[in-house]
Amino acid sequence: MSEKQFVPLARPAVGSDEIDALARVIQSRHVAAGSESAAFEREVSEYIGGAPTLAVSSGGAALFCALAAMDVGPGDEVVVPAFTFPAAAQAVVLLGATPVAADVDMITMASTPEMTARVCNSKTKAVVVIHPFGVSADIELIADAVGGIPIIEDAACSLGGFTPKGNPSGTVGTLGIYSFHPRKLVTAGEGGVVTGRPEQMNKVRVFRDYGRTGSGPGDIFTEVGLNFRLSDLLASVGRVQLKKLGDAIERHAHLGQLYTRLLADVPSVYVQGGPLAGRVWQSLIVVLEGDAAPIRQRLIDGGIGVGLAAHALTEQTFYKRFGASWAKCPNSERLAKTTLAMPLFSELSESDVEMAVTALSKALGG
Ligand SMILES: Cc1ncc(COP(=O)(O)O)c(C=O)c1O
């Protein structure tokens, strides 16, 4: 990439292998959810150590199906991390329940056992734990701290990562989910997968297929549901991408570590999580001392495609309509103001990383 070109925030590594897979499915004329989607499920299952999987149309759909499978509904509360893309909170309100925000750690940006347990009560039907940007939350300790409340493990950004106790990300919660959005390490264009315990997985299977519990004629639509299945077109892309996930994890880790080394020389800036064991580098998030908005604009004007890291749920007044009366989450609110997502994707070059760090340092007045 030459210096004159804009360095984007992300760029999915898709090309001729994915085109060949798509062509094969199109030529077969079987393009809805079918054998490719089933093969994708088997291959994701193998990747995460054999847990059962169901492919769905997005990570958000996966969360919606998972919450529905836990019978979340009106009168229930669901705890969600306060610093995140609000996919889980939106799924909670779609089911008529109330999201409750739990603050996150300033370094990992993940939920902690203490902050999560503090907001649980007798109405808490489920707790969503996110591995933010690929950094593992302390999910085993959170599970202990919330004492038996079911956990939905949002591993949207961390397929291929491991938890602090060495479990594959996404396999510790009662249900776990993954996203295959183009900003993830592996993409299907759009797509998601749910994994987890058999009883809840059976409910997910029914919910993603119009509530159908039988086949043939007769009284077979016995549950609530819609179409959340994953098309064979997208699944075929996901299958090719999954074969390259190991390489993508390695390349992102190399670039993430390079960023971390270079940013160590930029005063008053730190990298989310640092090189923690088990993490994957889905995004590279930097924390500044002050307001990130003007710095972000300066970098974009200078050709570096930085992005917002995430939002503070407690600043989204929309959720008040659904009974959310959460306490302030000071860490999340501070992170929403002070964080930036730096360019990170497999085809990014080392010199692009150097250029991005130099541009950040300059924008900060260094
Ligand atoms: C933590 C987290 N969960 C869920 C989602 C939703 O995934 P999707 O975009 O596939 O719906 C996202 C999207 O970025 C996310 O960051």
Side-chain angles (χ1 to χ4, degrees):
M1 226 169 265
S2 90
E3 290 211 344
K4 287 194 194 75
Q5 277 178 318
F6 188 81
V7 180
L9 175 62
R11 189 162 188 256
V14 287
S16 56
D17 296 340
E18 288 77 7
I19 292 171
D20 290 348
L22 278 170
R24 181 172 46 76
V25 176
I26 289 170
Q27 276 153 9
S28 79
R29 307 296 176 109
H30 294 286
V31 293
S35 59
E36 286 289 323
S37 188
F40 184 52
E41 288 173 347
R42 281 196 302 278
E43 287 160 8
V44 174
S45 169
E46 274 164 30
Y47 196 89
I48 59 172
T53 53
L54 289 165
V56 293
S57 50
S58 70
L63 284 167
F64 191 49
C65 292
L67 289 158
M70 290 191 178
D71 301 319
V72 167
D76 294 331
E77 293 185 356
V78 176
V79 174
V80 289
F83 183 60
T84 180
F85 184 77
Q90 290 289 31
V92 170
V93 298
L94 259 173
L95 288 164
T98 302
V100 173
D103 209 356
V104 302
D105 181 76
M106 283 296 289
I107 308 289
T108 63
M109 302 181 191
S111 308
T112 68
E114 301 73 32
M115 289 176 186
T116 308
R118 198 182 299 155
V119 292
C120 289
N121 60 43
S122 59
K123 289 192 203 156
T124 311
K125 191 70 173 257
V127 170
V128 177
V129 176
I130 299 176
H131 301 303
F133 315 109
V135 171
S136 294
D138 238 333
I139 187 157
E140 288 90 355
L141 291 185
I142 293 173
D144 289 346
V146 303
I149 301 173
I151 288 187
I152 295 178
E153 185 177 356
D154 183 337
C157 303
S158 61
L159 180 60
F162 291 89
T163 68
K165 291 239 162 106
N167 295 300
S169 296
T171 64
V172 175
T174 304
L175 289 171
I177 72 100
Y178 306 100
S179 162
F180 297 91
H181 178 274
R183 264 194 73 192
K184 308 307 185 231
L185 281 150
V186 49
T187 186
E190 298 277 5
V193 156
V194 187
T195 183
R197 313 281 153 80
E199 186 194 332
Q200 288 81 6
M201 288 295 277
N202 282 336
K203 290 186 179 177
V204 171
R205 187 190 307 280
V206 170
F207 191 75
R208 78 163 177 182
D209 189 27
Y210 288 115
R212 192 175 356 216
T213 49
S215 57
D219 186 13
I220 62 162
F221 293 92
T222 61
E223 301 286 341
V224 173
L226 261 183
N227 180 356
F228 295 108
R229 299 180 304 254
L230 182 69
S231 152
D232 270 10
L233 287 166
L234 301 185
S236 73
V237 174
R239 292 184 68 196
V240 174
Q241 284 270 297
L242 199 57
K243 292 197 181 80
K244 303 178 184 173
L245 178 53
D247 291 344
I249 287 174
E250 220 172 274
R251 179 72 187 154
H252 278 233
H254 167 71
L255 296 172
Q257 280 150 8
L258 176 60
Y259 262 119
T260 306
R261 279 199 303 279
L262 296 173
L263 285 163
D265 293 333
V266 180
S268 322
V269 163
Y270 68 87
V271 174
Q272 181 227 1
L276 296 173
R279 76 168 292 176
V280 293
W281 297 77
Q282 182 261 335
S283 287
L284 191 297
I285 308 298
V286 291
V287 186
L288 314 182
E289 216 161 49
D291 189 359
I295 307 297
R296 179 168 161 243
Q297 197 52 53
R298 247 172 263 166
L299 285 167
I300 290 172
D301 292 346
I304 308 291
V306 292
L308 268 181
H311 307 266
L313 273 189
T314 43
E315 291 174 337
Q316 309 297 315
T317 53
F318 163 77
Y319 293 110
K320 290 193 179 146
R321 282 169 38 192
F322 303 95
S325 60
W326 39 45
K328 285 185 87 58
C329 291
N331 289 356
S332 299
E333 288 156 24
R334 175 148 191 84
L335 289 169
K337 281 196 187 60
T338 57
T339 43
L340 285 177
M342 301 294 288
L344 184 62
F345 50 93
S346 289
E347 289 166 9
L348 189 73
S349 69
E350 284 76 0
S351 60
D352 288 334
V353 172
E354 283 164 20
M355 202 165 76
V357 172
T358 305
L360 175 63
S361 176
K362 260 198 189 154
L364 288 166

